Amino acid sequence: MVLTKTPICDFGRKAINFKLKSIYNDYITLNEIKGENGTLVMFICNHCPYVKAIIKELVNDCKNLKSEGINSVAIMSNDTKNYPEDSFEKMVEFSKNNEFGKIHYLIDETQEIAKKYGAVCTPDFFGYNKNLELQYRGRLRELKNLVPVREGDSDLFTAMKQIAETNKGPENQTPSAGCSIKWK
């Protein structure tokens, strides 16, 4: 497990379109999941201890952001040959076990989308405004020894709510940290 941190937010960078296979065996594009007030694109996987530490809160935040007009999509880009716990079948299981509900969970088999976004770790969050301009590239919340520090709303939720209301993300953002993406 190599701890990797995300780079600082490149404010205004446009979201990159994609067409990826979902756990329901259909193909989803960015335009199909775009939210009225914002869109959260996140790179996660099934086996990362950092993702496991925050997954319940992340799912809850995504459900609450839906009521703010923000849609969420999770993309898994890891090499499934060398990391079989991130296989498509395990993605389906992970989604059910963590009650993803309306959060789309997609597989990036070629890793092309992760590369185009500049994703570096799991979890890696890209928060876009209604114009699909990047406004957040931070963490969900502080973790200490893989345990979330629980005080109020998460950094991610607060930032995305601000984006929904003002179209702008917070100037000060703390990078997300997690396991590096497992490149082929």
Side-chain angles (χ1 to χ4, degrees), residues 79-143:
D79 173 7
T80 58
K81 183 178 179 187
N82 289 311
Y83 297 87
E85 57 270 38
D86 289 330
S87 71
F88 185 77
E89 294 76 21
K90 295 285 185 183
M91 287 173 60
V92 172
E93 190 178 302
F94 188 75
S95 172
K96 285 180 186 170
N97 290 344
N98 290 291
E99 301 174 1
F100 276 29
K102 302 226 180 220
I103 303 169
H104 297 280
Y105 196 17
L106 314 178
I107 188 164
D108 177 19
E109 293 174 289
T110 66
Q111 300 183 318
E112 177 185 343
I113 300 305
K115 288 175 183 170
K116 284 183 176 180
Y117 271 78
V120 296
C121 62
T122 57
D124 198 342
F125 302 105
F126 295 79
Y128 294 92
N129 63 18
K130 64 183 176 186
N131 303 318
L132 292 176
E133 299 162 333
L134 187 63
Q135 296 296 316
Y136 189 70
R137 182 90 188 267
R139 66 184 181 187
L140 180 94
R141 76 163 58 244
E142 181 182 2
L143 292 179

Side-chain angles (χ1 to χ4, degrees), residues 14 31 38 51-52 55 78 80 88 95 114 119 124 134 144 147 171 173:
K14 294 296 267 181
N31 289 330
V51 172
K52 287 179 177 181
I55 194 65
N78 278 355
T80 58
F88 185 77
S95 172
D124 198 342
L134 187 63
K144 286 191 178 178
V147 176
E171 284 187 34
Q173 301 178 13

Side-chain angles (χ1 to χ4, degrees), residues 151-183:
E151 293 181 23
D153 289 334
S154 72
D155 296 4
L156 177 70
F157 183 82
T158 302
M160 291 307 297
K161 190 170 177 182
Q162 178 182 328
I163 291 166
E165 293 168 358
T166 68
N167 223 24
K168 299 274 185 204
E171 284 187 34
N172 296 318
Q173 301 178 13
T174 304
S176 184
C179 297
S180 61
I181 290 186
K182 307 307 181 220
W183 302 107

